[in-house]
């Protein structure tokens, strides 16, 4: 029996209109193609890592999946419902199952409320438990993320960056969600604190049978925490595979360049990319990577490569490159 995904994203697109000096009265002048035809399947208890350089559309993808940003096209299927077709009132019913941890925890915590109230609020909104049960649940979550009971009475400004991120995780998990999207949750933290937060996430995922979409630009972090990884470039997925398979058999030229830039003890050929990532306002035709790819041909400039499975059937290794079998493979 084929395992069914808990969350399925199909051909997701997000475009942002750019207006002239007169705003909407002057009409749309240009369009930002932030996310283009992204398809992701997430399974129960799995961590899917989404990696790419700044401006590749990772965070926009996460926000669009959650409905925080309205999708231009595509589907987000959860519990047999297409979330992109629901009204705000209908989508609110699914908020308990779909939670998010943002990159900057301080901006998502109300500075005027004590931590106990901040963590209790999701339970109140979703009508979970009595007052006594909610308070007990808050103390329990504080302990689960490595904080103490005395923190219940403090304000957000009294915590360090790592502690505030723990609070964000506690607030997201207190309603027992099925899927959690982590948008660069450790990028602003010291390395020692990063490892603590990652270990907390892994432990809580096992305890709560949680599925996670982990968005990051850090290759080492995504390798540690992810079961599968998708590599994103200019709004599209260019390669996807189980974590160790991707690191031992890297196929797409962009992934090779990305991984070769990671400091480490392994001997690897450094791949230097020329130029900058193109503007999403005017993306190149054909393969989105052809302007920087050392293997690009005329076919790459005119024909969009499909994200296709490589190797034996069921390998789960997909790559969007016309010449994936011919390019030099890099292994770690």
């Amino acid at each position: 029996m084929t395992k069914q995904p808990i969350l399925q994203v199909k051909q997701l697109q997000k475009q942002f209109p750019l207006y002239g000096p007169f705003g909407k009265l002057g009409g749309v002048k240009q369009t930002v193609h932030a996310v283009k035809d992204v398809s992701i399947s997430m399974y129960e208890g799995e961590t899917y890592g989404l990696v790419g350089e700044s401006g590749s559309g990772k965070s926009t993808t996460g926000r669009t999946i959650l409905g925080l940003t309205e999708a231009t096209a595509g589907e987000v299927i959860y519990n047999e419902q297409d979330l992109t077709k629901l009204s705000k009132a209908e989508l609110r019913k699914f908020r308990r199952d779909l939670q998010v941890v943002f990159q900057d925890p301080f901006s998502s915590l109300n500075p005027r409320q004590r931590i106990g109230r901040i963590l209790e609020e999701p339970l109140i909104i979703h009508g979970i438990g009595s007052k006594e049960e909610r308070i007990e649940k808050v103390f329990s979550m504080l302990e689960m993320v490595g904080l103490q009971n005395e923190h219940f009475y403090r304000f957000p400004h009294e915590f360090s960056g790592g502690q505030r991120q723990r609070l964000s995780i506690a607030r997201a998990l207190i309603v027992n969600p099925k899927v959690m999207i982590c948008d660069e949750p450790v990028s602003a933290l010291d390395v020692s604190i990063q490892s603590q937060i990652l270990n907390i996430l892994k432990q809580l995922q096992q305890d709560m049978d949680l599925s996670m979409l982990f968005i990051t630009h850090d290759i080492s972090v995504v390798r540690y925490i992810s079961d599968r990884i998708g590599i994103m470039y200019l709004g599209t997925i260019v390669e996807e595979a189980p974590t160790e398979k991707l690191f031992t058999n890297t196929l797409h030229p962009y992934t090779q360049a990305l991984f070769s830039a990671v400091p480490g003890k392994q001997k690897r050929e450094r791949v230097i990319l020329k130029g900058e990532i193109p503007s999403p306002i005017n993306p190149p035709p054909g393969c989105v990577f052809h302007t920087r790819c050392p293997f690009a041909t005329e076919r790459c400039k005119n024909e969009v490569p499909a994200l296709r499975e490589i190797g034996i059937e069921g390998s789960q290794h997909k790559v969007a490159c016309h010449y994936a079998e011919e390019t030099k493979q890099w292994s770690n």
Side-chain angles (χ1 to χ4, degrees), residues 3 8 15 20 40 50 83 85 102 116 147 168 208 243 264:
K3 189 176 180 181
Q8 196 166 16
Q15 300 173 3
I40 296 172
L50 194 58
L83 303 185
K85 301 295 190 296
F102 294 106
L147 295 175
S168 293
M208 304 178 71
T243 300

Side-chain angles (χ1 to χ4, degrees), residues 36-48:
K36 185 178 180 182
D37 295 330
V38 167
S39 296
I40 296 172
S41 294
M42 292 176 59
Y43 297 89
E44 190 172 340
E46 176 191 50
T47 298
Y48 185 100

Side-chain angles (χ1 to χ4, degrees), residues 13 24 38 49 81 125 131 151 163 168 175 188 196 204 221 247 270:
Q13 295 187 35
K24 293 184 179 181
V38 167
Q81 289 277 348
I125 291 173
K131 177 68 174 180
H151 294 140
Q163 288 176 322
S168 293
V175 292
Q196 295 175 21
L204 290 174
V221 166
F247 275 83
R270 183 73 169 93

Side-chain angles (χ1 to χ4, degrees), residues 231-249:
I231 305 297
M232 200 165 187
Y233 182 83
L234 202 61
T236 65
I237 302 286
V238 297
E239 188 166 5
E240 178 188 278
T243 300
E244 290 310 312
K245 184 174 291 187
L246 185 66
F247 275 83
T248 56
N249 188 25

Side-chain angles (χ1 to χ4, degrees), residues 172-221:
L173 295 181
I174 200 166
V175 292
N176 295 316
K178 302 298 182 184
V179 178
M180 186 165 73
I181 294 180
C182 299
D183 186 6
E184 301 272 14
V186 297
S187 63
L189 305 177
D190 294 336
V191 174
S192 59
I193 305 300
Q194 284 186 15
S195 62
Q196 295 175 21
I197 298 299
L198 292 174
N199 288 332
I200 287 173
L201 285 172
K202 291 194 74 171
Q203 185 60 52
L204 290 174
Q205 181 186 30
Q206 294 176 7
D207 295 344
M208 304 178 71
D209 201 19
L210 184 69
S211 301
M212 285 198 301
L213 175 63
F214 195 94
I215 298 169
T216 184
H217 62 269
D218 192 319
I219 304 299
S220 301
V221 166

